[in-house]
Amino acid sequence: MTPSLPDRFNFAEHLFSTNRGRAAKAAYIDDRGSLSYGDLEARSRKLAAALLASGVQREERVLLLMLDSSDWPVSFLGSLYAGVVPVAVNTLLTSEDYAYMLDHSGAKAALVSGALLPTLQSAMEKGGHPLRTVFVSQPTGELPAGMLDMEAAIAARAPMAQPAATSPRDHAFWLYSSGSTGKPKGTVHVHGSPWWTAELYGKPVLGLGEDDVCFSAAKLYFAYGLGNALTFPLSVGATVVLMAERPTPDATFKRWTGQTDALRDAGVRPTVFYGAPTGFAGMLASPQLPARDAVALRMCSSAGEALPGDLAQRFKAHYGCDIVDGIGSTEMLHIFISNRPEDIRYGTTGKPVPGYEIELRGEDGQVVGVGEVGDLYIKGPSTAIMYWANPEKTADTFSQGWTKSGDKYSRDADGYYTYAGRSDDMLKVSGIYVSPFEVEATLMQHPSVLEAAVIGTQDAEGLTKTKAFVVRKAGQSVSEEELKAFVKERLAPYKYPRFIEFLDELPKTATGKIQRFRLREREQAR
């Protein structure tokens, strides 16, 4: 695909210029109130000036550790406008994690929520990493020397007159991988990457428009959440609802139904919701699930893990609203295979997003045939350019324009792709590959099952067999034998779980992905 971006391109300026004709419209509605498009630009450009005045220089990194509020996009876009590189990090990590990220990224400043400042201070002490300046959003008390109230810093500056003269290929921002195995990797994206995701996916596939009100359970520091709540809606002039707290069912329902003070004042309810399978399952199981006429949803999106078809069908039966399932990654920035609102085949991840090439390769590196399981490789214009200071992993993941995803998929004769598990999660039982996800999706069709995770474990003879860890819905009861029989009725006999263990909850990453390796470690320790 021939790039259509000019040699000089700054993604923040691109979004600002796109929306100058709707300056009075609400860009963000957070827990405190609304921020218009005009004020979003003004505040971002003032913060850009404050960052440079603090001594941060072009292309230097700044840590962005902030809860979802309108100060997050101001911080992100202000950094990009100044030619500074924000390193957006998960707000649920430990001070040890942040100490590693500060040292690894070489960040020269930080943008932090007041509620998270003590954790950042602890990280700075542990890592011994000096920061020139720390800008604090909504500080909870008097700030130590060397730290600035972000609001005061913005108020004290005139807007930066012109954006940094960046190109589509210049470093724009980092996102750290979830770190489900090993140290998290600093994934480097350029100014052109988010533009491509909006042009290839947000606009043509999701069909977002300026009348939409978008709400993402995935936070802004995730690649998925960044597209959902910044890149896509701001590319079309839509309004975004932000929520600082965790996306529990009750907190989500409160926003769906417009029952926060800020949403009541604005008189809006979300029309598009972005979630993950775990979240949709929890909401459907909640006794507080709102009625169809209490919400304004026209479409939902799911990513992070493959969406079980039964779950999507139950959601649609309640709301009359499709869930558009897709797969993306931090390395590709957003979704590259997806169902479409007008073309949904539940139980599959859909078809390649136009503009991305997909290959499924076997163990010999050759493309596999229809119906065969292969390793998923992607080529597209939003690909990250490297893992920072990690040439070995960079070379392993990014090769000749292709990105190795670590997922296994199959493709049917109609061109739909079906998830078959992570490359390191696939099981070989009696000489035949078994997809953990297929077994999990079947278990979740049982009305008493909330969540399930399947791994391989050894039986008394040392042979690999499938074991399922199951979380039952509140107040529900089902036996191991009942579940085994349930799966046997629906899958080939060799695929049913030989062992089932009931848990109160499954181990997950901060992104909500099930950590099967934790379950494997649990088995090995026995």
Side-chain angles (χ1 to χ4, degrees):
M1 180 176 292
T2 302
S4 56
L5 288 171
D7 288 338
R8 180 169 292 186
F9 180 80
N10 182 288
F11 185 65
E13 169 60 18
H14 162 69
L15 293 181
F16 297 153
S17 62
T18 297
N19 293 295
R20 284 181 183 137
R22 51 175 71 90
K25 182 182 179 183
Y28 286 96
I29 302 172
D30 65 9
D31 299 336
R32 297 177 294 169
S34 297
L35 181 71
S36 69
Y37 270 101
D39 287 341
L40 172 65
E41 176 177 357
R43 287 175 61 80
S44 299
R45 290 172 60 184
K46 287 182 177 183
L47 181 64
L51 281 166
L52 297 179
S54 75
V56 180
Q57 298 180 30
R58 170 83 180 268
E59 296 185 354
E60 289 185 331
R61 274 81 61 196
V62 294
L63 193 79
L64 175 50
L65 172 60
M66 198 172 284
L67 301 171
D68 274 22
S69 75
S70 60
D71 281 348
W72 202 105
V74 166
S75 299
F76 184 82
L77 295 174
S79 298
L80 265 59
Y81 195 86
V84 172
V85 180
V87 179
V89 297
N90 191 322
T91 59
L92 301 176
L93 304 180
T94 66
S95 58
E96 287 80 7
D97 293 318
Y98 300 132
Y100 167 78
M101 292 172 177
L102 284 170
D103 288 340
H104 179 254
S105 69
K108 301 302 183 185
L111 298 146
V112 61
S113 292
L116 300 172
L117 180 57
T119 307
L120 176 64
Q121 289 175 297
S122 177
M124 292 165 64
E125 293 168 0
K126 285 184 171 68
H129 184 84
L131 294 174
R132 293 192 187 123
T133 313
V134 176
F135 293 87
V136 184
S137 165
Q138 303 176 55
T140 57
E142 187 175 346
L143 295 176
M147 297 190 181
L148 300 175
D149 183 329
M150 182 172 159
E151 191 64 37
I154 288 174
R157 294 287 162 186
M160 185 174 168
Q162 296 292 329
T166 53
S167 81
R169 298 166 296 281
D170 282 342
H171 291 199
F173 58 94
W174 294 17
L175 299 171
Y176 272 98
S177 67
S178 60
S180 55
T181 57
K183 288 287 188 184
K185 300 178 290 294
T187 310
V188 181
H189 280 284
V190 295
H191 277 265
S193 294
W195 184 87
W196 281 112
T197 63
E199 294 302 310
L200 297 179
Y201 187 71
K203 295 178 183 179
V205 176
L206 294 182
L208 295 179
E210 64 178 329
D211 292 333
D212 277 313
V213 179
C214 300
F215 174 40
S216 176
K219 299 300 186 181
L220 281 159
Y221 54 76
F222 296 135
Y224 181 47
L226 182 64
N228 301 340
L230 191 148
T231 302
F232 299 166
L234 268 56
S235 292
V236 298
T239 296
V240 183
V241 176
L242 293 180
M243 176 177 72
E245 63 185 298
R246 290 178 56 249
T248 62
D250 286 349
T252 300
F253 298 156
K254 191 174 181 181
R255 274 78 184 176
W256 278 6
T257 57
Q259 295 304 306
T260 68
D261 290 341
L263 287 172
R264 277 192 289 264
D265 290 344
V268 300
R269 292 176 294 172
T271 62
V272 178
F273 175 72
Y274 306 86
T278 298
F280 285 113
M283 289 185 287
L284 283 175
S286 170
Q288 307 303 320
L289 185 70
R292 181 186 294 200
D293 61 5
V295 305
L297 297 173
R298 70 167 184 84
M299 181 179 65
C300 292
S301 165
S302 179
E305 292 187 289
L307 177 71
D310 175 68
L311 181 62
Q313 288 165 348
R314 286 190 285 121
F315 188 91
K316 185 172 183 178
H318 185 82
Y319 285 116
C321 174
D322 281 316
I323 302 177
V324 179
D325 184 32
I327 179 176
S329 68
T330 303
E331 290 76 10
M332 298 304 298
L333 191 55
H334 215 274
I335 288 172
F336 46 80
I337 300 176
S338 182
N339 283 276
R340 290 152 176 76
E342 73 284 354
D343 181 17
I344 290 181
R345 185 173 293 187
Y346 286 133
T348 79
T349 310
K351 296 179 178 179
V353 172
Y356 292 92
E357 297 178 55
I358 304 297
E359 285 188 358
L360 302 181
R361 302 177 186 175
E363 293 180 2
D364 60 359
Q366 300 302 304
V367 175
V368 303
V370 171
E372 296 182 55
V373 173
D375 292 307
L376 175 65
Y377 286 76
I378 316 100
K379 180 184 288 187
S382 63
T383 309
I385 61 171
M386 71 172 87
Y387 295 128
W388 185 261
N390 195 338
E392 295 82 6
K393 191 62 180 175
T394 295
D396 182 58
T397 301
F398 308 102
S399 177
Q400 297 181 324
W402 291 92
T403 300
K404 180 170 67 175
S405 72
D407 295 295
K408 285 188 177 286
Y409 265 82
S410 64
R411 177 177 58 85
D412 67 20
D414 295 326
Y416 292 88
Y417 285 72
T418 299
Y419 183 62
R422 290 287 297 172
S423 298
D424 55 1
D425 287 334
M426 286 293 287
L427 307 174
K428 210 166 192 180
V429 180
S430 302
I432 306 173
Y433 276 114
V434 174
S435 163
F437 177 75
E438 182 181 24
V439 182
E440 292 165 4
T442 303
L443 284 165
M444 288 179 62
Q445 293 175 25
H446 193 283
S448 296
V449 174
L450 177 63
E451 292 182 306
V454 171
I455 65 168
T457 190
Q458 292 189 338
D459 64 11
E461 285 74 38
L463 301 174
T464 298
K465 303 295 181 185
T466 49
K467 177 170 181 175
F469 294 85
V470 172
V471 178
R472 288 174 282 210
K473 292 178 181 176
Q476 298 290 316
S477 177
V478 63
S479 71
E480 181 177 346
E481 292 308 315
E482 285 178 82
L483 285 181
K484 287 181 179 178
F486 184 83
V487 175
K488 284 180 183 179
E489 291 173 0
R490 289 160 175 79
L491 295 180
Y494 67 89
K495 295 183 179 181
Y496 86 93
R498 275 28 174 214
F499 312 101
I500 295 178
E501 182 176 339
F502 295 101
L503 298 177
D504 292 332
E505 61 181 1
L506 298 175
K508 296 173 184 173
T509 67
T511 65
K513 294 180 182 179
I514 295 170
Q515 293 177 307
R516 292 174 185 83
F517 78 97
R518 297 287 185 202
L519 297 173
R520 288 193 288 268
E521 290 173 352
R522 177 189 178 117
E523 285 297 292
Q524 293 167 2
R526 291 180 172 175

